[in-house]
């Protein structure tokens, strides 16, 4: 596939879009032609011509006079429904339902189910490898059941960016990048070979090689079309809005460019790739109005942390958030993308910024061609999708509107354990002190008063002795697409580093500092602006192009640092410019982790501790012995803007992305087979044919109640997908480590769970393997549970195996927000393979609930006001879950009996499609049967 004219819109084989007229003639929105394949809204098709080419599009405003009152995000859903309406995948009632959206819509009281077909799918390698593995296994299953395996192909365009494999094994050295990339290839060669095979074996799939950048930044700078332009059969072009679902929760970052997109479970994304629509509830849309201007000393990171806390307090789970107001025009596209990126942290489905002229200006800056931009502008104007944020007359109707004055935003961080726990930097000293003494929780470590002054000493390679206290910084990482996509904060960090070096400041040698840009463009403009030498002087050498520290690939800390922390029970800190800081995610030895702008990452690294009062305490002294405060080295927005305007130019994007598909020499020399069926190796510890389709038949299995089940885990609130399916390192004493050791894999080559997601034997052993898991069935924190019949405490996988041998089904009993965090299909696949048949929770994170359904696990929800605690459940009961013989209905009440305690739960099958998937044993089984029919 090739791009031309600076236009990243590869035209790959896709399902044809039919523009057939209703033979009966249409005089209203309702069309009498029910023939599958005919588009009943074809009468609303319009055209315009440019340079001899005819462009077709749907004139949505002519369908309904109230169109201009719809939120812009809902207009994208509407266009997709109109264009794809064939009364088979997308029904006319879907169009009518979306047209009927109103501010009166309230989730949970008058839910409306609609279908949505995204324009494309995007994946990263942690979630992409299992998707390709599933596709390969589905081909085998179709063949085994007598079908044509080559029917299993992505129909919807799919892009996979390899960005989750590289780790910070080496840092603070000029050769750190080369060493980390070499080790990445050494560890992951088998996975990369498999992905390269997939790129050849499957149609309509682009693989972006390792070392190219972070998936969401590559999407923003290169892959996003904003408006698709596809060939029609009559030689004309078809125009429609870009939209995307991705197997990473931060897919929402693309909302900042005006592309509607969000994260879905891996198995749901696979269904979209196979041409299925997404079944979703029509959302409430919260209007978030921005007014005023940011202070010259405030960054986009401070803004997004403020918005995240605000919206999390408001409660926007399952809702769309759409930004509007004159303040939006004050934000760059990179600023908007930063805000959209953290959408999962504030809980919404999307954080959408409608397209305006700034969007089109960004497209020009990133080397999209003027010709294409002109076509996009014409299309958006014709369909009333080009926003002028200064024109209040264009403001649509919202379910609810809230306002933020940008001038009130202050310099902030978030932590120590959750992204939405924002703390003003001025309050950090007192806040950290409070966290030390508070009970164990999201804002507490329960350090006894007499232990709060604890410290430890160790010797470093330079022969000096260093001291660690509570709050000492041991990891400082400029990382993650949240910030590395934004030139203002990256150049701001570079300018701060320059001023710090010129003032004679430095960073303690034991602090693991790192810089992992989101794309090669970042390195380009950092070099051109002359700040790289200053970043390197402070130890922020480039270590790789990928997510790295933000997803837990922070690599090891030096042993003497680890020993000092553990021996003295210290709460040491990591500071990172990321979007996630859940407990146990960043590094096992950083119990406190704070999200911060790249500028503050450097500032806290120089300070060496997070409890510093920047206003009163100096960072150090200059050559003249004068105190240097943070304000002395902090650049203003105008300083940063001047450098950005000079050095961030289209030629950089052209240079970097013209060769992105080529990859490194290592990638180019990978040899792969040409077969359409994958040759599985029984000896592989990376790629294994999954057992999901073993014993599958063409006929549906019989629906059965769950009898005599045991509780595998009894958990509290905010159990994240990091707790359920860790992506980080494999502990040496874990079941997964034992499995690898039995196959002569040394600990040095264990790699991470994330890198081994293509092997179910390892991933099932890694399910719930987080060292910070709090299971109420055992006394200590960690991945252990009790086998109830024998009262023996075991590793969770070993207990599940014991139950399997006994023929005992399993359930999980959990609290609120079960499955929050990154969208990980293995957080559902893992429990499925452990034998979990149902989860009983107080509430669920949206994507994870969908993933559970996709794997055939029943999500049950306690009634409002009820919980395991109010029902006096202990997790040691025998559970019986009665499924009605008359059939299942979305949201119905399901009775659960636990040792004589009978209580009702809500069946969290939210749509009829959910029930269909469950009856088939999961979404992939459904797709296989569909291919055979």
């Amino acid at each position: 596939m090739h791009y031309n004219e600076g236009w990243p819109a590869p035209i790959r084989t896709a399902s044809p879009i039919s523009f057939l007229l209703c033979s009966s003639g249409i005089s209203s929105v309702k069309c009498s032609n029910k023939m599958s394949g005919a588009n009943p809204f074809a009468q609303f098709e319009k055209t315009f011509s440019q340079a001899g080419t005819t462009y077709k599009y749907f004139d949505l405003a002519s369908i309904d006079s109230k169109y201009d009152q719809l939120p812009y995000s809902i207009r994208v859903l509407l266009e997709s429904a109109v264009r794809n309406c064939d009364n088979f995948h997308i029904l006319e009632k879907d169009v009518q339902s979306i047209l009927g959206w109103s501010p009166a819509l309230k989730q949970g009281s008058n839910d409306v189910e609609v279908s949505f077909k995204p324009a494309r799918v995007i994946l990263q390698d942690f979630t992409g490898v299992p998707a390709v593995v599933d596709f390969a296994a589905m081909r085998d299953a179709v063949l085994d059941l007598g079908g044509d395996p080559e029917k299993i192909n992505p129909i919807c365009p799919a892009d996979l960016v390899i960005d989750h494999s590289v780790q910070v094994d080496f840092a603070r050295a000029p050769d750190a990048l080369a060493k980390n990339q070499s080790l990445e290839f050494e560890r992951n060669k088998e996975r990369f070979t498999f992905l390269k095979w997939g790129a050849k074996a499957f149609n309509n799939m682009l693989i972006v090689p390792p070392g190219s950048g972070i998936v969401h930044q590559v999407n923003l700078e290169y892959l996003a079309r904003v408006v698709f332009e596809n060939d029609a059969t009559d030689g004309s072009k078809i125009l429609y809005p870009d939209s995307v679902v991705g197997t990473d929760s931060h897919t929402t970052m693309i909302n900042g460019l005006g592309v509607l997109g969000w994260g879905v479970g891996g198995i749901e994304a696979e269904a979209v790739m196979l041409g299925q629509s997404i079944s979703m509830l029509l959302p409430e849309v919260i209007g978030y109005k921005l007014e005023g201007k940011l202070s010259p000393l405030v960054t986009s990171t401070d803004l997004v942390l403020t918005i995240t806390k605000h919206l999390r307090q408001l409660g926007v789970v399952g809702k769309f958030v759409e930004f509007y107001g004159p303040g939006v025009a004050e934000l760059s596209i990179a600023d908007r993308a930063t805000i959209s990126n953290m959408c999962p942290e504030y809980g919404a489905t999307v954080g959408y910024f409608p397209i305006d002229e700034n969007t089109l200006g960004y497209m020009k800056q990133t080397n999209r061609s003027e010709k294409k931009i002109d076509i996009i502008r014409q299309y958006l104007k014709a369909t009333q999708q080009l926003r002028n944020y200064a024109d209040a007359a264009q403001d649509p109707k919202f379910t609810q509107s809230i306002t933020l004055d940008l001038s009130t935003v202050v310099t902030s961080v978030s932590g120590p354990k959750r992204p939405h726990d924002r703390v003003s930097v001025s309050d950090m000293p007192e806040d950290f002190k409070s966290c030390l003494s508070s009970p164990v929780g999201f804002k507490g470590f329960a350090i006894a008063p007499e232990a709060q002054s604890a410290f430890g000493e160790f010797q470093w390679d330079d022969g000096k002795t260093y001291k660690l206290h509570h709050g000492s910084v041991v990891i400082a990482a400029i990382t993650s697409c949240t910030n590395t996509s934004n030139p203002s904060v990256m150049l701001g960090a570079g300018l701060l580093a320059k001023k710090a070096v010129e003032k004679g400041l430095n960073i303690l040698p034991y602090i693991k500092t790192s810089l992992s840009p989101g794309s090669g463009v970042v390195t380009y403009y950092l070099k051109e602006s002359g700040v790289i030498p200053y970043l390197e002087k402070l130890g922020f050498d480039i270590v790789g192009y990928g997510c790295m520290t933000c997803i837990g690939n922070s690599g090891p800390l030096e042993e003497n640092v680890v020993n000092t922390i553990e021996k003295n029970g210290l709460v040491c800190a990591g500071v990172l410019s990321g979007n996630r800081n859940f407990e146990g995610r960043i590094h096992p030895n950083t119990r406190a982790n704070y999200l911060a702008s790249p500028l503050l990452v450097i500032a806290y690294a120089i300070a060496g501790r997070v409890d510093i009062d920047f206003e009163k305490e100096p960072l150090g002294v200059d050559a003249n012995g004068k105190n240097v405060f943070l304000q002395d080295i902090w650049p203003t927005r105008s300083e940063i803007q001047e450098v950005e305007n000079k050095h961030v130019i289209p030629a950089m994007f052209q240079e970097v992305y013209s060769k992105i598909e080529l990859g490194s020499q290592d990638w180019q020399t990978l040899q792969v087979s040409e077969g359409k069926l994958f040759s599985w190796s029984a000896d592989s510890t990376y790629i294994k044919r999954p057992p999901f389709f073993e014993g599958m038949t063409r006929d549906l299995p019989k629906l059965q109640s769950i009898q005599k089940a045991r509780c595998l885990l009894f958990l509290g609130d905010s159990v994240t997908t990091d707790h359920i399916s860790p992506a980080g390192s494999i502990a040496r004493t874990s079941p997964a480590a034992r499995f690898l050791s039995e196959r002569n894999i040394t600990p040095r080559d264990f790699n991470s769970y994330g890198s081994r997601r293509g092997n179910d034997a390892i991933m099932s052993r890694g399910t719930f393997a987080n060292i910070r898991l709090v299971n109420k069935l055992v006394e200590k924190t960690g991945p252990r549970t009790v086998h109830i019949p024998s009262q023996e405490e075991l590793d969770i996988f070993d207990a599940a195996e014991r139950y399997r041998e006994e023929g005992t089904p399993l359930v999980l009993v959990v609290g609120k927000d079960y499955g929050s965090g990154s969208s990980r299909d293995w957080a559902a696949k893992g429990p499925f393979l452990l034998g979990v048949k149902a989860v009983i929770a107080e509430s669920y994170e949206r994507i994870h609930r969908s993933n559970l359904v996709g794997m055939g696990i029943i999500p049950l929800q306690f009634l409002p006001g009820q919980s395991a605690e109010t029902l006096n459940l202990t997790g040691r009961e025998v559970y019986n879950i009665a499924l009605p013989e008359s059939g299942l209905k979305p949201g119905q009440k399901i009775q659960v009996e636990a040792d004589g305690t009978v209580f009702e739960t809500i069946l969290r099958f939210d749509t009829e499609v959910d029930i269909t998937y469950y009856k088939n044993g999961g979404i992939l089984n459904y797709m296989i049967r569909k291919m055979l029919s």
Side-chain angles (χ1 to χ4, degrees):
M1 174 186 42
H2 301 282
Y3 301 113
N4 51 51
E5 300 183 289
W7 177 242
I11 304 301
R12 289 163 282 181
T13 304
S15 53
I17 302 169
S18 179
F19 289 83
L20 301 177
L21 294 173
C22 293
S23 58
S24 59
I26 314 173
S27 58
S28 65
V29 174
K30 194 73 174 177
C31 174
S32 60
N33 187 347
K34 302 297 183 182
M35 183 180 65
S36 176
N39 191 312
F41 298 96
Q43 65 167 321
F44 301 107
E45 175 194 324
K46 287 194 175 181
T47 65
F48 67 82
S49 296
Q50 181 170 307
T53 301
T54 299
Y55 296 92
K56 294 181 178 181
Y57 65 95
F58 277 101
D59 180 16
L60 303 177
S62 63
I63 297 179
D64 193 290
S65 60
K66 295 181 181 179
Y67 170 77
D68 61 355
Q69 297 181 21
L70 292 176
Y72 285 74
S73 52
I74 298 298
R75 297 179 198 187
V76 179
L77 297 183
L78 176 62
E79 192 284 336
S80 176
V82 169
R83 174 169 39 87
N84 289 296
C85 184
D86 59 1
N87 282 309
F88 180 62
H89 289 107
I90 306 292
L91 306 178
E92 289 177 59
K93 73 172 185 178
D94 292 316
V95 175
Q96 298 287 6
S97 295
I98 298 171
L99 277 171
W101 185 95
S102 79
L105 178 74
K106 297 295 180 184
Q107 292 173 191
S109 60
N110 55 343
D111 289 337
V112 178
E113 179 186 347
V114 296
S115 294
F116 173 55
K117 271 197 173 184
R120 59 190 174 96
V121 174
I122 194 163
L123 312 98
Q124 38 89 340
D125 57 306
F126 269 18
T127 50
V129 166
V132 180
V133 166
D134 287 347
F135 265 66
M138 288 172 73
R139 279 191 170 180
D140 291 345
V142 168
L143 181 66
D144 292 343
L145 292 170
D148 179 4
E150 292 197 38
K151 283 187 176 181
I152 301 294
N153 261 310
I155 297 171
C156 182
D159 302 306
L160 190 156
V161 181
I162 301 174
D163 68 348
H164 273 51
S165 301
V166 63
Q167 296 185 183
V168 191
D169 290 285
F170 299 94
R172 301 191 72 151
D175 60 352
L177 173 62
K179 285 185 174 180
N180 287 330
Q181 289 185 333
S182 176
L183 196 51
E184 175 192 20
F185 233 89
E186 180 184 328
R187 287 171 173 157
N188 297 284
K189 185 175 181 180
E190 191 176 339
R191 295 172 64 243
F192 293 169
T193 301
F194 173 71
L195 287 175
K196 196 170 182 180
W197 167 82
K200 289 190 173 185
F202 296 106
N203 299 329
N204 226 13
M205 181 180 289
L206 166 70
I207 305 289
V208 177
S212 302
I214 302 175
V215 57
H216 307 304
Q217 186 162 344
V218 174
N219 192 19
L220 187 74
E221 296 175 349
Y222 178 63
L223 295 172
R225 284 75 154 171
V226 179
V227 171
F228 259 86
E229 178 183 321
N230 276 0
D231 295 326
T233 55
D234 61 2
S236 63
K237 302 285 187 181
I238 303 165
L239 300 177
Y240 54 96
D242 188 2
S243 59
V244 62
V245 292
T247 56
D248 188 285
S249 53
H250 294 103
T251 299
T252 54
M253 183 172 178
I254 204 62
N255 296 166
L257 193 63
V259 176
L260 191 69
W262 61 86
V264 296
I267 41 191
E268 190 174 10
E270 291 170 35
V272 174
M273 291 165 68
L274 288 166
Q276 299 300 294
S277 59
I278 289 176
S279 181
M280 60 183 291
L281 296 178
L282 197 62
E284 296 179 32
V285 183
I286 307 300
Y288 199 99
K289 188 175 185 179
L290 298 178
E291 297 180 334
K293 294 184 178 182
L294 291 173
S295 159
L297 300 179
V298 164
T299 69
S300 58
T301 313
D302 305 317
L303 174 58
V304 71
L305 296 181
T306 301
I307 290 173
T308 298
K309 183 176 182 178
H310 188 193
L311 286 174
R312 178 60 73 169
Q313 290 173 336
L314 180 69
V316 292
V317 172
K319 303 175 185 180
F320 281 14
V321 172
E322 185 168 307
F323 294 89
Y324 74 110
V328 176
E330 299 295 325
L331 302 178
S332 69
I333 298 304
D335 291 340
R336 299 177 196 179
T338 297
I339 295 167
S340 296
N341 177 279
M342 288 192 70
C343 180
E345 282 66 52
Y346 46 83
T349 302
V350 301
Y352 187 68
F353 288 86
I355 301 166
D356 68 346
E357 285 293 341
N358 285 354
T359 312
L360 303 182
Y362 178 85
M363 295 186 72
K364 181 178 179 180
Q365 182 188 42
T366 51
N367 199 46
R368 275 82 163 188
S369 77
E370 289 279 9
K371 176 185 174 183
K372 297 296 181 182
I373 294 171
D374 286 344
I375 293 168
I376 289 173
R377 182 181 287 108
Q378 285 194 58
Y379 168 75
L380 295 172
K381 285 182 176 180
T383 57
Q384 297 183 34
Q385 294 184 80
L386 186 64
R387 188 75 164 92
N388 179 357
Y389 287 101
D391 184 2
Q394 289 189 9
D395 293 349
K397 304 291 185 182
F398 294 112
T399 307
Q400 178 184 357
S401 293
I402 51 179
T403 301
L404 174 68
D405 183 348
L406 296 177
S407 66
T408 64
V409 176
V410 298
T411 308
S412 305
V413 297
S414 278
K417 300 180 184 181
R418 294 191 301 187
H420 55 277
D421 289 330
R422 186 190 67 83
V423 185
S424 299
V425 166
S426 58
D427 294 335
M428 266 295 285
E430 285 303 313
D431 190 83
F432 184 76
K433 182 179 178 180
S434 172
C435 288
L436 284 181
S437 57
S438 296
V440 172
F442 299 121
K443 294 287 287 186
F445 298 101
I447 304 298
E450 64 274 12
Q452 290 181 22
S453 59
F455 66 90
E457 295 182 330
F458 62 94
Q459 264 202 330
W460 193 250
D461 297 342
D462 58 8
K464 295 181 181 179
T465 298
Y466 294 92
K467 187 181 291 187
L468 292 179
H469 300 264
H470 294 300
S472 291
V473 174
V474 293
I475 289 177
I478 299 176
T479 179
S480 172
C481 51
T482 308
N483 287 287
T484 65
S485 62
N486 195 328
S488 67
V489 291
M490 295 302 289
L491 287 168
L495 292 174
L496 185 143
K498 180 177 184 292
K499 294 183 178 185
V501 170
E502 290 171 346
K503 291 285 188 181
L505 302 179
N506 54 46
I507 293 174
L508 294 168
Y510 62 81
I511 298 176
K512 189 169 188 178
T513 50
S514 61
L515 168 58
S516 49
S519 78
V521 173
V522 179
T523 304
Y524 207 133
Y525 65 65
L526 289 178
K527 285 182 177 179
E528 290 296 309
S529 62
V531 298
I532 283 283
Y534 301 100
L535 289 164
E536 292 174 343
K537 180 73 173 178
L538 293 179
F540 286 92
D541 297 84
I542 293 175
V543 295
Y545 294 91
C547 301
M548 304 191 88
T549 299
C550 186
I551 59 162
N553 286 359
S554 53
L557 290 172
E558 292 294 335
E559 191 171 349
N560 48 3
V561 173
V562 171
N563 291 339
T564 303
I565 293 171
E566 293 179 347
K567 181 180 178 182
N568 298 281
L570 299 177
V571 179
C572 287
V575 185
L576 65 152
S577 62
N579 48 43
R580 293 272 165 86
N581 57 344
F582 298 128
E583 194 173 13
R585 177 183 178 98
I586 306 306
H587 193 281
N589 295 108
T590 57
R591 294 169 65 185
N593 295 282
Y594 290 93
L595 306 182
S597 69
L599 294 84
L600 281 177
V601 170
I602 296 177
Y604 278 111
I606 293 171
R609 56 193 179 91
V610 294
D611 57 354
I612 184 175
D613 187 333
F614 284 124
E615 295 178 7
K616 298 178 181 178
E617 298 178 72
L619 292 171
V621 296
D622 62 17
N624 299 318
K626 182 181 177 182
N627 285 339
V628 179
F629 290 85
L630 180 57
Q631 64 184 15
D632 298 326
I633 62 172
W634 193 272
T636 64
R637 285 178 74 87
S638 60
E639 286 180 81
I640 297 168
Q641 192 66 54
E642 182 180 351
V643 177
E644 182 178 348
N645 291 341
K646 183 177 180 180
H647 295 289
V648 184
I649 57 177
M652 293 181 176
F653 295 88
Q654 169 65 25
E655 171 69 18
V656 169
Y657 285 112
S658 64
K659 53 191 177 185
I660 192 171
E661 294 179 50
L662 189 62
S664 66
Q665 187 63 36
D666 287 332
W667 177 263
Q668 293 174 43
T669 56
L670 277 181
Q671 298 297 313
V672 299
S673 66
E674 301 293 332
K676 296 296 184 180
L677 295 175
F678 187 68
S679 299
W680 308 95
S681 170
D683 298 325
S684 175
T685 56
Y686 278 100
I687 306 297
K688 177 178 174 290
R689 179 176 173 174
F692 306 136
F693 314 119
E694 290 179 1
M696 181 180 171
T697 63
R698 284 176 173 258
D699 298 325
L700 287 179
K702 184 180 179 181
L703 197 65
Q704 294 182 331
S705 294
I706 299 171
Q707 300 292 331
K708 299 181 180 179
R710 287 289 187 177
C711 178
L712 180 64
L713 297 169
F714 193 61
L715 306 171
D717 297 342
S718 295
V719 173
T720 72
T721 52
D722 285 301
H723 290 110
I724 306 168
S725 183
S729 59
I730 298 173
R732 297 189 179 191
T733 57
S734 66
R738 294 198 300 270
F739 177 87
L740 291 169
S741 296
E742 289 166 1
R743 284 149 183 81
N744 299 315
I745 308 295
T746 63
R748 177 182 178 274
D749 297 320
F750 280 177
N751 212 330
S752 65
Y753 283 113
S755 67
R756 293 186 180 273
R757 283 181 176 167
N759 188 306
D760 64 271
I762 293 170
M763 294 308 297
S764 58
R765 287 166 171 80
T767 302
F768 296 108
N770 192 305
I771 62 172
R772 302 297 180 192
L773 183 73
V774 179
N775 176 17
K776 299 176 186 178
L777 294 178
V778 295
E779 293 183 1
K780 294 183 178 180
T781 299
R784 304 274 287 177
T785 196
V786 173
H787 175 252
I788 303 300
S790 67
Q791 292 298 299
E792 185 177 355
E793 184 175 316
L794 300 167
D795 286 328
I796 291 170
F797 175 80
D798 295 335
E801 283 296 288
R802 182 84 62 85
Y803 282 124
R804 186 194 308 280
E805 292 167 1
E806 296 167 352
T808 303
L810 299 173
V811 300
L812 305 175
V813 179
V814 298
K816 301 182 183 72
D817 299 327
Y818 180 66
S820 57
S822 301
S823 58
R824 292 184 183 164
D825 57 338
W826 270 108
K829 289 177 178 177
F832 170 81
L833 292 178
L834 293 184
V836 173
K837 303 299 182 184
V839 179
I840 310 172
E842 290 182 59
S843 63
Y844 294 88
E845 192 276 337
R846 176 184 60 85
I847 299 174
H848 186 63
R849 185 210 64 83
S850 174
N851 276 347
L852 291 174
V853 174
M855 286 309 300
I857 296 175
I858 304 174
L860 299 174
Q861 188 164 311
F862 289 108
L863 297 182
Q866 291 189 349
S867 65
E869 184 178 2
T870 64
L871 294 168
N872 296 316
L873 300 178
T874 66
R876 297 176 181 273
E877 302 87 357
V878 174
Y879 290 80
N880 294 296
I881 301 172
L883 299 182
E885 294 182 3
S886 58
L888 299 172
K889 297 179 181 178
Q892 73 183 97
K893 301 288 178 61
I894 296 293
Q895 190 177 88
V896 179
E897 186 270 329
D899 282 1
T901 299
V902 179
F903 57 96
E904 286 192 324
T905 62
I906 301 169
L907 179 66
R908 285 301 310 276
F909 290 158
D910 292 349
T911 66
E912 291 291 346
V913 174
D914 284 350
I915 294 173
T916 299
Y917 290 159
Y918 177 71
K919 288 179 177 178
N920 276 271
I923 191 170
L924 300 183
N925 306 63
Y926 165 77
M927 287 305 306
I928 289 173
R929 289 191 177 97
K930 187 175 177 64
M931 290 294 176
L932 294 169
S933 60

